[in-house]
Amino acid sequence: MKLKLPNPGLEDRILNHDELERLEVEEAGDRPKWDNKAQYMLTCVGFCVGLGNVWRFPYLCQSHGGGAFMIPFLILLVFEGIPLLHLEFAIGQRLRKGSVGVWRTINPYMLGVGIASMCVSFLVSLYYNTIIAWVMWYFFNSFQEPLPWSQCPINANRTGLVSECERSSPVDYFWYRETLNTSAAIDDMGGLQWWMILCLISAWGVLYVCCIRGIETTGKAVYVTSTLPYVVLTIFLIRGLTLKGSFDGIKFLFTPDLNELANPTTWLDAGAQVFYSFSLAFGGLISFSSYNSVHNNCEQDAVIISIINAFTSIYAATVIYSIIGFRATERFDDCLSGNILTLLNTFDLPEGNITESNYQEVLHSLNSTNSDIISNLNLKTCDLNSFLSEGVEGTGLAFIVFTEAITKMPLSPLWSVLFFVMLFCLGLSSMFGNIEGVLVPLQDLKVFPKSWPKEVISGVTCLVCCLVGLIFVQGSGNYWLALFDSFAGSIPLLIIAFSEMIGVVYVYGIDRFNEDLIFMIGHKPNIFWQATWRVISPLIMLAIFIFYFSTIVTKEIFYIAWDPESENFPTLEKKPYPSWIYVIIFLLAGVPSLSVPGTAVFRAIREYCCKKHPSAPVQEIDSVSSNSKFCSFIHS
Amino acid sequence: MLAGVLLLIFLPPLVAKDLCKDSQDGFKVRLSIKTGLGDDAYEWNESEMFLFRSTLAYAMRKHSNQDTYTIDNILVCNDTQRVSFVFVVTSTDDPDQLIPKEQVELAVRQNKHRINNAFLLSDMTLEFMGIPPTLSAPIIYDTEPWLIVFGVVIGAVAVGIVALLMSTVSKKRRAKEKAAGLSEEDEGIVKENGTALSSLGRKEGVYNQAFSNDDRFTKL
């Protein structure tokens, strides 16, 4: 017994199979098309593979039991990621519209899902492009030797190094002071940083050039932006494996700890990572697949793209951790040499007496004879594992840990340029999908007049986003970005994805959907797809949503700030949010989420008001509409 | 008499040693030859010490502009296996007088570069305890390198945008000209009652306003 919610008028809103066939054969219609299959695949791969594969997955992998993390990751990939991906591809290909159009077609009350997707895509585009602006800043600064983050600058009267830099490290100082010029708290706006404005303008400029005519131009750009990251990752892998300590890093990453599987946070994080990594619920994938030919094999595409995404995550994790292993070993060696030098100097022993191999025994023997002197020396504890666990995630990984590792390699400017070009390409190809998820709904909602050409619409959108994005180039911009990342890009997406599954399976109807797939790809989707679409994937989405929501609502939320005046400097300080931030959080997470039921309610009220006043205009019979059925009925 | 002679012979070195050991005007020096040079490290011996004392004498000469300093003015003591020792500088006029600490420090700082080079070492590996190394001047660029790269990127973006917009405008203009050209052809060929064969090839024909369109839908 299949549950199907009532959905009157669906037949009138969609093109039936014959019409689709005719459209395909005659190549009528003004919808843009992909030049070839490769463009489509590269665009989807580029959208899915983004910065998260490089800086979130390796951290999750290492902190949740290494090799053992693969198990929940792959299981949830199969049961959550692939079904949702196939669903989005199929519905886009069948209904041949962007996200707003698709949901309005399925049921006008579900328009809210499309609007929510558009809002989320817009909010994510704002801060994602700021990250690309940061990447560009580092890229611009990589064309000098020595790299500006390799040494501390000298203070004004040339007596020593700048104090903030001396207390932390050159990479920290370059990131927090010379790049962000970060203020100490989110309330302190800090003013606009002119160099960051220039980088923001260049980021939006590059994006505009690539998106100016929609997929006509992005289709050409993805040949570079989707393939270059793999080339660079391979170069870094070869370079990394020849460095000392890289194998320690890789071993540390993949050493399995099966006890982590019992921890529910591991499964939750794996599910969330699969979900966000696939860029689902943004609406961009639905748009991209709507430009396909109607008989394109979307089932195969979904499986291939999922496999590529998973492979890229694991590959990037290997590369990142080989470099982190090198950095950790360098730090360990420095720490040990520092201790050895201190011992030699204090006891005036000849050089070479204490080496790395006999350090422990010598220390022990000295401790037994002169323990008071030893305790006064404050020798640092050097532990390789603690250096390896310092591998952070997010911007800290790319702009602090990795840049430090690069400064220790010979020919650092070259590696720096390559690394930031790779991050730039990864981010830009994801931005193509985000912008698609904003532009197409705007066109469908008829926000812009029809006479405006595509170039002007994309120009205006990019300009507006750039201006709003100026929030993130202030002194407190980094904290705002973290806020947007945690709230705009998390809860609403889960709600949208859940609504998508319910909408397609129960409102559009799984029977009709199966028939569509038989028409499009030639065979009925097998029991795996049926089970996951109807039951398994929605349940997983619901579980992740409940966990996420409960953790956010119950825990006290705080942010970590760089405060040179705090006691624990250079450790980042945890600060609570001011009370007015909760309004912002509600706007970020609440508005997209509530537009899903809100639009339905709004529409229902409007319908009710129209029914109450029958003087409303009768539906005009449009003689030249696409509803050819109407005319043929009356004429016969 | 013999005792007096013996005393006279042995007194100066004893006094010298005391000057060095007990003095406040001395500096401790530490060399890390193996760290600095690795496999090319040389052995520290009396000749190297001789070189050190002569370079210091040279430094004092340059600083004070007096050519009277010799190697005997530099006294060394507390020699250890680490290769560290203490030295003091005696005045040229009076061997019992020591040059004050500040003067020696200035002399060393002015000539640190030469002293380092004499021993093939650096500020890290040849340390004078209490004399901080002078930091090298920061590199000052005329134009920051990042601005140059930024200029290149923004220039490429601007060229790209202009080129794409131009191509759109020219495409539209060409399409408009084509449409205008076609409609001129139509006017020429199709006449109201004309029998030009080309008019038969067109699907829609000519819309004749004489016949009204109202009864497209038959009224019942």
Side-chain angles (χ1 to χ4, degrees):
Chain A
M1 229 272 289
K2 288 185 196 137
L3 172 68
K4 188 177 175 339
L5 297 168
N7 194 357
L10 179 62
E11 297 276 333
D12 306 323
R13 294 193 293 266
I14 59 177
L15 298 170
N16 65 26
H17 292 174
D18 303 321
E19 285 162 349
L20 277 179
E21 196 69 60
R22 197 160 43 94
L23 214 63
E24 180 74 14
V25 167
E26 290 174 7
E27 292 198 2
D30 54 358
R31 202 162 175 75
K33 274 194 329 194
W34 297 108
D35 289 342
N36 50 50
K37 185 79 186 277
Q39 266 189 10
Y40 166 63
M41 292 299 275
L42 283 175
T43 311
C44 287
V45 166
F47 187 24
C48 293
V49 171
L51 295 169
N53 294 69
V54 165
W55 70 33
R56 177 106 177 114
F57 178 80
Y59 170 75
L60 284 177
C61 200
Q62 171 260 314
S63 65
H64 284 299
F69 185 72
M70 296 295 157
I71 299 176
F73 180 71
L74 290 172
I75 290 178
L76 286 168
L77 186 96
V78 167
F79 286 105
E80 181 199 348
I82 304 186
L84 260 173
L85 198 63
H86 187 194
L87 188 107
E88 290 210 352
F89 282 161
I91 201 72
Q93 200 173 298
R94 167 66 179 91
L95 296 178
R96 314 200 73 69
K97 296 212 173 92
S99 65
V100 159
V102 157
W103 299 111
R104 183 164 44 193
T105 308
I106 289 184
N107 193 317
Y109 288 103
M110 288 202 80
L111 181 64
V113 180
I115 293 182
S117 285
M118 180 183 75
C119 290
V120 171
S121 289
F122 172 71
L123 291 172
V124 171
S125 305
L126 289 177
Y127 75 78
Y128 209 82
N129 223 27
T130 312
I131 299 179
I132 296 182
W134 290 341
V135 169
M136 289 189 95
W137 163 257
Y138 269 79
F139 171 72
F140 295 154
N141 275 291
S142 304
F143 287 91
Q144 42 186 300
E145 171 85 32
L147 293 169
W149 54 83
S150 57
Q151 57 213 29
C152 277
I154 303 173
N155 61 16
N157 41 6
R158 285 185 61 188
T159 48
L161 307 171
V162 172
S163 128
E164 191 181 348
C165 188
E166 226 179 341
R167 286 187 290 156
S168 53
S169 74
V171 271
D172 280 318
Y173 180 77
F174 186 78
W175 171 235
Y176 286 108
R177 190 52 54 211
E178 294 193 23
T179 306
L180 300 173
N181 198 10
T182 188
S183 55
I186 197 169
D187 323 41
D188 179 10
M189 289 301 163
L192 295 170
Q193 317 299 327
W194 65 270
W195 59 94
M196 271 292 121
I197 299 181
L198 292 181
C199 293
L200 191 71
I201 292 174
S202 54
W204 281 105
V206 173
L207 185 66
Y208 179 52
V209 167
C210 295
C211 291
I212 194 167
R213 279 196 218 141
I215 63 164
E216 214 182 301
T217 37
T218 58
K220 312 281 187 306
V222 288
Y223 284 123
V224 172
T225 59
S226 294
T227 50
L228 195 59
Y230 291 97
V231 172
V232 175
L233 275 175
T234 311
I235 296 176
F236 265 99
L237 184 68
I238 299 173
R239 170 78 268 220
L241 289 176
T242 56
L243 293 168
K244 177 184 174 204
S246 52
F247 285 102
D248 291 321
I250 297 178
K251 243 189 304 176
F252 182 72
L253 172 72
F254 286 123
T255 314
D257 175 14
L258 289 165
N259 296 325
E260 280 283 336
L261 291 180
N263 183 1
T265 328
T266 309
W267 291 86
L268 175 62
D269 279 339
Q273 174 62 17
V274 165
F275 179 70
Y276 296 129
S277 159
F278 276 78
S279 307
L280 297 161
F282 279 91
L285 290 170
I286 299 181
S287 262
F288 285 146
S289 86
S290 72
Y291 304 128
N292 268 329
S293 126
V294 94
H295 290 297
N296 175 50
N297 191 345
C298 49
E299 183 183 25
Q300 199 185 53
D301 293 343
V303 174
I304 292 178
I305 290 179
S306 311
I307 294 177
I308 293 179
N309 198 6
F311 161 74
T312 312
S313 292
I314 298 174
Y315 191 50
T318 313
V319 173
I320 295 286
Y321 264 83
S322 70
I323 304 286
I324 287 185
F326 159 70
R327 172 187 173 265
T329 311
E330 282 272 317
R331 278 205 153 188
F332 175 73
D333 286 345
D334 284 341
C335 175
L336 206 56
S337 332
N339 282 357
I340 291 176
L341 197 66
T342 321
L343 283 177
L344 287 176
N345 287 350
T346 326
F347 294 99
D348 281 324
L349 303 165
E351 288 177 285
N353 248 22
I354 312 182
T355 59
E356 289 179 15
S357 35
N358 61 6
Y359 170 75
Q360 287 296 340
E361 305 138 27
V362 173
L363 180 65
H364 194 72
S365 65
L366 284 175
N367 214 0
S368 47
T369 49
N370 312 63
S371 53
D372 45 343
I373 308 180
I374 298 279
S375 50
N376 280 346
L377 284 178
N378 295 329
L379 291 174
K380 292 183 270 191
T381 38
C382 302
D383 176 32
L384 186 61
N385 272 345
S386 69
F387 285 127
L388 283 169
S389 335
E390 265 178 27
V392 274
E393 56 161 335
T395 50
L397 174 68
F399 299 118
I400 298 180
V401 170
F402 214 84
T403 43
E404 192 187 328
I406 288 177
T407 55
K408 298 194 201 295
M409 295 197 254
L411 287 181
S412 345
L414 171 69
W415 304 114
S416 181
V417 167
L418 276 178
F419 178 64
F420 289 111
V421 161
M422 176 184 84
L423 287 187
F424 176 72
C425 287
L426 284 171
L428 192 67
S429 53
S430 296
M431 276 304 294
F432 293 153
N434 284 331
I435 280 291
E436 179 78 13
V438 175
L439 283 177
V440 173
L442 283 177
Q443 286 171 337
D444 283 345
L445 288 171
K446 301 194 176 42
V447 169
F448 295 106
K450 216 166 179 182
S451 56
W452 283 16
K454 219 186 282 186
E455 290 86 351
V456 176
I457 296 177
S458 35
V460 168
T461 312
C462 285
L463 187 67
V464 168
C465 288
C466 186
L467 289 173
V468 178
L470 288 175
I471 312 172
F472 301 114
V473 299
Q474 297 172 91
S476 52
N478 189 27
Y479 308 132
W480 283 99
L481 200 134
L483 186 73
F484 269 65
D485 192 23
S486 325
F487 294 106
S490 57
I491 297 267
L493 287 173
L494 292 165
I495 295 181
I496 296 171
F498 184 73
S499 315
E500 283 187 0
M501 298 212 98
I502 301 296
V504 170
V505 172
Y506 298 110
V507 178
Y508 185 72
I510 189 74
D511 292 327
R512 183 186 290 273
F513 195 56
N514 284 335
E515 277 168 27
D516 287 335
L517 276 161
I518 295 175
F519 168 71
M520 290 197 291
I521 59 179
H523 59 265
K524 184 175 173 184
N526 59 31
I527 187 74
F528 166 74
W529 301 111
Q530 306 297 326
T532 48
W533 284 335
R534 273 192 247 178
V535 179
I536 301 180
S537 300
L539 280 179
I540 297 180
M541 296 265 83
L542 198 63
I544 298 178
F545 170 70
I546 290 175
F547 267 116
Y548 241 76
F549 195 68
S550 54
T551 39
I552 288 186
V553 165
T554 53
K555 260 202 306 196
E556 158 119 21
I557 38 174
F558 52 83
Y559 66 104
I560 40 176
W562 176 264
D563 189 358
E565 264 116 61
S566 83
E567 313 155 340
N568 300 330
F569 188 80
T571 318
L572 297 164
E573 202 190 320
K574 276 191 192 149
K575 292 190 178 174
Y577 278 116
S579 39
W580 51 267
I581 282 285
Y582 291 93
V583 177
I584 309 269
I585 293 179
F586 175 74
L587 284 175
L588 288 176
V591 165
S593 315
L594 290 176
S595 64
V596 174
T599 325
V601 168
F602 176 72
R603 234 191 158 93
I605 293 177
R606 218 176 51 172
E607 288 288 316
Y608 184 62
C609 287
C610 277
K611 271 207 188 112
K612 268 192 132 182
H613 305 283
S615 57
V618 174
Q619 227 184 351
E620 292 165 31
I621 298 171
D622 219 340
S623 51
V624 272
S625 76
S626 58
N627 255 335
S628 48
K629 285 189 274 273
F630 242 97
C631 295
S632 52
F633 167 69
I634 290 183
H635 275 270
S636 61
Chain B
M1 173 58 181
L2 189 62
V5 170
L6 280 172
L7 202 62
L8 265 173
I9 296 171
F10 285 116
L11 190 58
L14 286 173
V15 169
K17 267 246 152 45
D18 289 330
L19 274 174
C20 174
K21 257 195 191 138
D22 308 322
S23 134
Q24 303 282 357
D25 291 320
F27 280 103
K28 180 164 179 176
V29 180
R30 192 190 293 142
L31 288 97
S32 313
I33 308 171
K34 285 214 184 78
T35 318
L37 297 169
D39 289 331
D40 300 326
Y42 47 79
E43 197 59 50
W44 185 259
N45 49 30
E46 282 304 315
S47 314
E48 304 288 344
M49 184 58 86
F50 182 84
L51 178 61
F52 182 81
R53 291 166 73 195
S54 56
T55 40
L56 267 175
Y58 159 78
M60 292 306 299
R61 279 193 183 197
K62 277 202 84 173
H63 170 69
S64 58
N65 283 322
Q66 289 172 290
D67 282 345
T68 45
Y69 282 98
T70 64
I71 197 168
D72 296 318
N73 293 114
I74 317 290
L75 304 171
V76 171
C77 56
N78 284 350
D79 210 347
T80 67
Q81 283 246 320
R82 170 68 178 84
V83 191
S84 69
F85 47 84
V86 177
F87 75 92
V88 288
V89 184
T90 58
S91 156
T92 42
D93 315 313
D94 179 9
D96 294 328
Q97 268 285 351
L98 293 177
I99 304 284
K101 202 165 180 158
E102 299 77 31
Q103 300 285 327
V104 181
E105 178 174 341
L106 280 171
V108 169
R109 283 187 89 163
Q110 276 174 1
N111 300 287
K112 190 65 167 39
H113 187 60
R114 300 296 297 268
I115 303 175
N116 284 349
N117 276 352
F119 289 93
L120 305 174
L121 295 173
S122 68
D123 277 342
M124 292 295 298
T125 39
L126 171 53
E127 298 162 85
F128 284 77
M129 312 302 294
I131 305 181
T134 33
L135 302 158
S136 51
I139 317 170
I140 302 179
Y141 297 101
D142 290 328
T143 15
E144 296 273 322
W146 76 267
L147 276 172
I148 301 174
V149 185
F150 166 75
V152 167
V153 169
I154 275 282
V157 165
V159 164
I161 293 178
V162 167
L164 284 167
L165 288 175
M166 288 280 113
S167 78
T168 315
V169 167
S170 65
K171 221 190 275 178
K172 279 215 176 110
R173 212 180 294 157
R174 242 180 284 139
K176 225 187 262 176
E177 282 172 8
K178 224 188 197 171
L182 257 178
S183 60
E184 275 176 21
E185 280 179 36
D186 296 342
E187 304 259 295
I189 294 173
V190 177
K191 302 167 197 114
E192 280 281 86
N193 288 324
T195 51
L197 286 168
S198 47
S199 70
L200 295 173
R202 292 187 57 204
K203 287 184 211 159
E204 300 107 4
V206 181
Y207 184 50
N208 201 334
Q209 289 259 351
F211 294 96
S212 94
N213 203 21
D214 292 66
D215 47 8
R216 207 184 277 196
F217 298 111
T218 48
K219 294 193 187 76
L220 293 167

